[in-house]
Amino acid sequence: MGVTIHFEGQLKNDEVSYKGIIEEAIAFADSYGMEHKPIYEACKKLSRVREEEPWDYEGPVKGLKIILDDHCDPLFLEFDETLYIQEFIKTQFVGAETHIIVIQLLRSFKKFFVNLIVEDEAEYWDTSDKKLLEEHIAKVNSVIEDQLKSNPKLSGPVRSSDGRILDLVEND
């Protein structure tokens, strides 16, 4: 459940593309007054999916984490040692405007990738239809609200330890 943007791709295999995307992401974050932090880890496990099957990467990771809003997933730009990325960002709790600027940023990144695949659950990537995006957000938030009303054991949204937003969690 959620209004989530999934993205993955292979950077052009050179440090120029990596540096370009990081510089562009920092400029984006700075222009909106968003906090950002570099990511450098010698060994990290990244959970990924390929052909609907889980697969994990374990090894060096580098990139950038951007905090867009308190009610939104951070935007993780975590690249493995081959400069491949597979990430997602949930935007439904901050509204259409934040979703749109994330899509604009991803569109600006296309020039750095051999291939960039974006799956936008709200269809904005493909349609640029703000009304459709707002309808998706309203529908998902309505479903969450209904679930919260019908089940007193549920709460949400909740921020997990990695900064991601969980729609609903069951309390003991």
Side-chain angles (χ1 to χ4, degrees):
M1 182 177 350
V3 174
T4 305
I5 304 164
H6 304 265
F7 59 99
E8 67 180 288
Q10 180 69 52
L11 281 183
K12 294 175 182 173
N13 200 9
D14 58 28
E15 284 300 308
V16 173
S17 293
Y18 173 77
K19 288 178 184 176
I21 203 167
I22 296 301
E23 288 171 3
E24 198 157 311
I26 289 170
F28 162 83
D30 289 346
S31 73
Y32 286 98
M34 298 171 180
E35 180 183 350
H36 53 85
K37 299 176 184 177
I39 298 170
Y40 295 103
E41 294 191 42
C43 189
K44 182 175 182 178
K45 183 177 180 179
L46 299 176
S47 298
R48 294 178 168 171
V49 177
R50 180 185 295 143
E51 297 176 11
E52 299 186 32
E53 294 293 324
W55 67 282
D56 295 329
Y57 165 82
E58 195 163 339
V61 174
K62 63 182 178 178
L64 190 72
K65 175 182 175 181
I66 301 174
I67 309 298
L68 288 92
D69 188 278
D70 289 339
H71 304 290
C72 180
D73 281 351
L75 178 60
F76 289 98
L77 301 173
E78 288 185 299
F79 294 92
D80 66 21
E81 64 189 339
T82 68
L83 301 178
Y84 181 79
I85 188 170
Q86 185 179 69
E87 286 293 341
F88 66 92
I89 179 169
K90 186 180 299 185
T91 62
Q92 77 217 34
F93 299 113
V94 290
E97 295 306 320
T98 300
H99 190 96
I100 290 168
I101 65 170
V102 170
I103 292 295
Q104 289 170 344
L105 179 64
L106 291 174
R107 286 179 177 152
S108 78
F109 286 167
K110 286 174 72 172
K111 63 186 170 277
F112 299 114
F113 283 87
V114 173
N115 63 335
L116 176 62
I117 300 165
V118 177
E119 293 179 27
D120 179 1
E121 293 177 1
E123 302 178 69
Y124 191 82
W125 174 265
D126 294 321
T127 67
S128 296
D129 186 336
K130 185 177 180 182
K131 183 175 181 190
L132 181 60
L133 167 60
E134 290 169 340
E135 289 170 1
H136 278 284
I137 292 170
K139 180 180 179 183
V140 168
N141 288 338
S142 177
V143 168
I144 291 169
E145 187 177 314
D146 289 347
Q147 290 289 319
L148 288 169
K149 286 178 183 175
S150 67
N151 187 343
K153 291 184 177 184
L154 294 177
S155 63
V158 176
R159 185 172 298 281
S160 66
S161 60
D162 66 356
R164 302 247 187 225
I165 302 287
L166 306 173
D167 297 335
L168 298 167
V169 294
E170 189 167 353
N171 302 311
D172 296 331

